[in-house]
Amino acid sequence: MSDTCLITGATGFIGGRLARRLLDEGYAVRGLVRASSDTSQLEQLDLQLAVGDLTDADSLMRAAAGCQYVLHCGALVSDWATTQEIARINVGGTRSLLDAAVAASIKRFVHLSSTDIYGYPDRSQTDETYTATRFRNWYAQTKLEAEAEVRRAERENALTAVILRPATVYGPGSIDVVGEIARAIKGRHMLLIGRGRPLAGLCYVENLLDAAVLALQHEAAPGNAFNVSDGLNVTWKQFTDGLASGLGCPEVRFSIPYPLANGIGFTLEHGYRLLRRVTGLSLPPLLSRQAVQVLGKSQDFSNRKLREMLGWEPRVDYATGLEATLTWLRTEYLKPR
């Protein structure tokens, strides 16, 4: 009987692709899904669905029982939810999942974190030894605190764990990043920060999945954290130009300076939070400080450790990844309904 992998965030962009990949690798897969989640894409696959929630510790215990591996992709990615809302899922949920993994005596826990934990340092080749000194958004803070929970479980419960820190993941199915940018380009309301000169820090989704499989299998992986970035010198201007060209749209011309963008993001975030409390508004702000950090600071992260320790290489090059992304945008995501 195949070892079973529990994947949280299984209905998301990365979690769903990871489920398919692990099935191809010969694993049995159990996906943690919320009762309200759209599971139509997963129902086409030969996997188990475990209904639960990162805020429901009992459901995590049930989901992890009988599994040999856990791959934690689930998180609340938000730049305007409250600190308590984000921490409840990203920190508390990770803690509860680790407890469930320990109770199930799993063989290895792979935690998908983010290069956001570095606090957007805007420096060259940031490696895994870098420590952020301040954060400008709560999401990044909670991702760092979630990593601390993983390390605590390693120390206190001898849990075998690996942390992956993806940069900006793109590819077919990337609704929240590529999809939103593509819609903004087509609607002529995409803007760049600092003329789009900062590096985008791109990682094609299949290259991330290669790293996840190595994290699951490689004997040198446990106890380590690894940046996962394709190491491209592609700026946001170049990336958006490539999308615009492939979609038959004009290049993005509108740009605002970083200080102005950050001030606007701060104002919009707080205004939207107030409106949310008063009116129940559910739409996100047009610009947030997290978006400003990602677009306005170079996302330049070293992948040397991942290459040297686990033998990883970015198998899919940029031209191939961009074309696959554009094909998805043209034939599925932006296709007239």
Side-chain angles (χ1 to χ4, degrees):
M1 183 177 179
S2 301
D3 283 343
T4 300
C5 299
L6 172 65
I7 300 177
T8 67
T11 58
F13 166 46
I14 295 171
R17 294 289 292 260
L18 183 56
R20 290 173 173 79
R21 177 62 181 275
L22 292 179
L23 288 169
D24 290 343
E25 294 282 335
Y27 292 95
V29 174
R30 182 180 300 167
L32 181 72
V33 298
R34 295 190 301 273
S36 60
S37 295
D38 178 2
T39 60
S40 56
Q41 295 296 315
L42 295 179
E43 288 166 359
Q44 302 172 17
L45 305 176
D46 183 21
L47 51 69
Q48 308 166 39
L49 295 181
V51 177
D53 192 287
L54 288 172
T55 62
D56 181 348
D58 289 340
S59 73
L60 299 180
M61 286 288 183
R62 292 191 296 270
C67 293
Q68 287 72 47
Y69 301 98
V70 173
L71 297 101
H72 184 26
C73 305
L76 175 57
V77 182
S78 175
D79 42 21
W80 72 300
T82 67
T83 313
Q84 294 76 17
E85 289 169 331
I86 301 174
R88 183 168 175 246
I89 294 173
N90 294 355
V91 183
T94 299
R95 184 185 308 119
S96 295
L97 184 63
L98 288 162
D99 290 343
V102 170
S105 300
I106 62 114
K107 296 178 182 178
R108 191 171 297 189
F109 187 103
V110 178
H111 177 70
L112 268 74
S113 183
S114 169
T115 52
D116 289 349
I117 65 104
Y118 298 119
Y120 317 104
D122 201 25
R123 64 199 293 271
S124 298
Q125 290 291 288
T126 299
D127 67 16
E128 292 82 356
T129 64
Y130 182 84
T131 301
T133 56
R134 61 178 299 195
F135 290 92
R136 292 178 173 84
N137 72 69
W138 297 319
Y139 169 73
Q141 177 83 45
T142 62
K143 293 300 286 185
L144 184 61
E145 291 175 6
E147 285 197 13
E149 292 293 333
V150 176
R151 295 307 185 208
R152 178 193 58 78
E154 285 179 313
R155 292 192 307 272
E156 297 179 2
N157 300 293
L159 180 71
T160 301
V162 185
I163 294 173
L164 297 180
R165 296 169 179 165
T168 303
V169 184
Y170 78 105
S174 174
I175 293 173
D176 292 336
V177 178
V178 176
E180 288 300 307
I181 291 174
R183 286 198 182 279
I185 289 172
K186 284 189 72 70
R188 310 289 178 89
H189 52 80
M190 178 66 193
L191 63 84
L192 296 171
I193 296 172
R195 299 186 180 180
R197 291 171 179 165
L199 295 180
L202 299 172
C203 177
Y204 187 67
V205 62
E206 289 296 326
N207 295 336
L208 172 59
L209 301 186
D210 288 346
V213 172
L214 285 169
L216 199 63
Q217 299 176 344
H218 203 293
E219 62 182 13
N224 286 289
F226 299 94
N227 292 340
V228 191
S229 173
D230 289 350
L232 304 170
N233 290 318
V234 175
T235 66
W236 281 113
K237 174 63 174 166
Q238 291 169 323
F239 184 58
T240 57
D241 282 355
L243 290 177
S245 175
L247 296 173
C249 298
E251 294 179 359
V252 178
R253 302 290 185 188
F254 185 50
S255 173
I256 56 178
Y258 175 84
L260 176 60
N262 199 50
I264 293 172
F266 178 84
T267 301
L268 287 176
E269 274 182 44
H270 286 270
Y272 268 67
R273 287 195 185 97
L274 177 61
L275 285 172
R276 183 185 179 198
R277 287 197 299 270
V278 174
T279 69
L281 179 73
S282 60
L283 294 173
L286 298 173
L287 189 65
S288 67
R289 282 177 296 171
Q290 183 177 344
V292 170
Q293 299 298 319
V294 172
L295 293 171
K297 302 279 190 178
S298 277
Q299 309 296 307
D300 188 8
F301 304 101
S302 171
N303 59 24
R304 180 177 177 180
K305 183 178 179 181
L306 184 61
R307 287 174 179 266
E308 293 185 351
M309 288 191 67
L310 304 190
W312 175 89
E313 293 290 338
R315 178 170 50 87
V316 180
D317 63 26
Y318 178 61
T320 303
L322 181 62
E323 186 52 44
T325 304
L326 284 166
T327 298
W328 166 73
L329 287 169
R330 290 188 296 253
T331 61
E332 296 183 46
Y333 187 66
L334 297 176
K335 184 178 180 180
R337 299 183 185 276

